[in-house]
Amino acid sequence: MTSVELVDDGSGGTVVMMDGHPQSHVQLDDPRLIVFEYVQFLAALLDALPEGPLVVTHVGGAGLTLPRYLAHTRPGSPQVVLEPDADLTQAVRDQLPLPRGHRIRVRPVDGRSGLRALAESSADVVVVDAFAGGRVPAELVTTPWFTDVRRVLRPGGLLLMNTADEPNRRHLARLHASISEVLPHTAAVATSEVRKGRRFGNTVLAASAQPLPLEAMTRRIAMTAFSATLLHGPQLTRSLGSAQPFGDEDAQASPEPPVVDRWRVR
C-alpha cells in the first residue's frame, strides 16, 4: 500500500510525499509557482504551444500541480487525469482543493488501461508523469504503449514525458528509442548536470508525429529558473547513443532513485 504524506514546506506550499519520495509541490495561492525543475520544464513546453485552451490527458496525478497550472494559464482546458491511487487523490482533494471552475476530471485507473479507454484523436497533449516507488512503471516505457498514445493524440498532438535515470542514461536511451519509433520528432530537456551525466536526475521528453515548435520551446525553457538545454534531432540521438526500444516482453522500470535522507524545497 502506498504511503502518502502531505508536508508543509514552510513557505506557503505543500509537498506531496509518496513512499518517502517527493512527488509534487502545490502552491494553492499561486498555481504558476512551480518548484520542481521537471515540472517547470513540462509547463514551459506547454507554454510553447499556441494560445488558448488545450485538451490534455495526464498519466499520473499526485498533487495535480500541472493540471492546476493549466487551469490557471489556459482557462477552460478540459483535462483528464489517470491516477490509480484513489486514496492519494482523495487526500489531495481534501487538503489541497481544486480551484473553482476547473475542468479537471480524475479517473481512478492506471495509465495503460485508462488510455486504452479514451477515444482516438481525443487529446491535444498527453503528459506522462507517473512514478511508483520513485520509478516510472515498466508498462509506460514500451513501443506498444506509445503506439496507443499516438492513437489518442490529435494530428500534430504532443507527448510530454518525465523520466529519471542514472548518469549513464541507458534507460533514457531505450525509452527515447521506444518513443521515436512511433513519434519521430523528439526533443529532450534536462539540467546541465543531468545532461552531462554528472548525477541521477530527471529528463523531460517531447515528441510528436509532426515537427515540434522548437524555437518557441527553446525560448520557454530558457525562461525557467534552471540552467537547462533543449536537445533535438541528430544532436539528441548522438547524445544518447544507439539503443533498442523497449517491447512489452523486455520492459524495465526506470532505475531506483538514490536514497535521500532529507528533502527540502530550497
Side-chain angles (χ1 to χ4, degrees):
M1 184 176 179
T2 303
S3 170
V4 179
E5 185 181 8
L6 277 66
V7 181
D8 188 330
D9 71 354
S11 302
T14 302
V15 181
V16 180
M17 304 286 293
M18 296 179 61
D19 294 328
H21 300 284
Q23 198 77 4
S24 300
H25 178 274
V26 177
Q27 194 83 20
L28 282 183
D29 60 355
D30 187 1
R32 296 168 301 176
L33 180 59
I34 297 175
V35 171
F36 291 3
E37 81 266 13
Y38 64 84
V39 187
Q40 282 200 22
F41 299 157
L42 290 168
L45 294 172
L46 288 169
D47 288 344
L49 299 178
E51 293 183 1
L54 292 170
V55 181
V56 182
T57 296
H58 302 264
V59 181
L64 305 173
T65 304
L66 196 62
R68 296 171 195 269
Y69 177 85
L70 270 172
H72 185 87
T73 59
R74 295 175 184 260
S77 293
Q79 302 184 69
V80 173
V81 181
L82 309 178
E83 172 53 66
D85 193 331
D87 291 338
L88 166 64
T89 299
Q90 192 59 53
V92 169
R93 284 185 177 277
D94 290 344
Q95 300 183 50
L96 302 170
L98 289 167
R100 291 181 179 178
H102 72 83
R103 298 187 64 190
I104 301 167
R105 292 176 295 157
V106 183
R107 298 180 178 175
V109 293
D110 65 90
R112 195 107 184 215
S113 61
L115 197 78
R116 193 178 301 124
L118 297 180
E120 182 176 345
S121 301
S122 59
D124 296 313
V125 184
V126 173
V127 179
V128 184
D129 185 14
F131 286 75
R135 307 173 71 183
V136 179
E139 63 266 23
L140 302 184
V141 304
T142 72
T143 297
W145 155 250
F146 293 113
T147 299
D148 203 28
V149 170
R150 177 167 180 168
R151 178 189 65 81
V152 169
L153 286 172
R154 292 173 175 172
L158 179 67
L159 163 70
L160 296 177
M161 179 162 189
N162 175 42
T163 189
D165 201 1
E166 299 281 1
N168 64 22
R169 302 196 300 168
R170 297 320 301 156
H171 190 277
L172 174 63
R174 293 196 67 184
L175 173 60
H176 176 260
S178 301
I179 293 172
S180 58
E181 277 210 335
V182 180
L183 300 165
H185 298 277
T186 62
V189 184
T191 62
S192 299
E193 294 86 351
V194 173
R195 179 175 57 84
K196 294 176 181 178
R198 292 176 179 169
R199 67 172 177 86
F200 183 100
N202 294 78
T203 297
V204 170
L205 295 165
S208 179
Q210 297 182 13
L212 297 167
L214 294 170
E215 183 177 343
M217 286 180 166
T218 300
R219 185 170 61 251
R220 288 291 184 171
I221 291 297
M223 294 168 64
T224 67
F226 300 90
S227 175
T229 303
L230 182 104
L231 296 181
H232 59 89
Q235 186 181 24
L236 174 57
T237 302
R238 287 195 302 270
S239 171
L240 294 177
S242 61
Q244 291 295 316
F246 287 116
D248 283 341
E249 69 285 349
D250 67 343
Q252 301 171 14
S254 63
E256 289 190 24
V259 176
V260 179
D261 294 326
R262 184 171 56 188
W263 186 88
R264 61 182 182 179
V265 175
R266 294 179 178 86

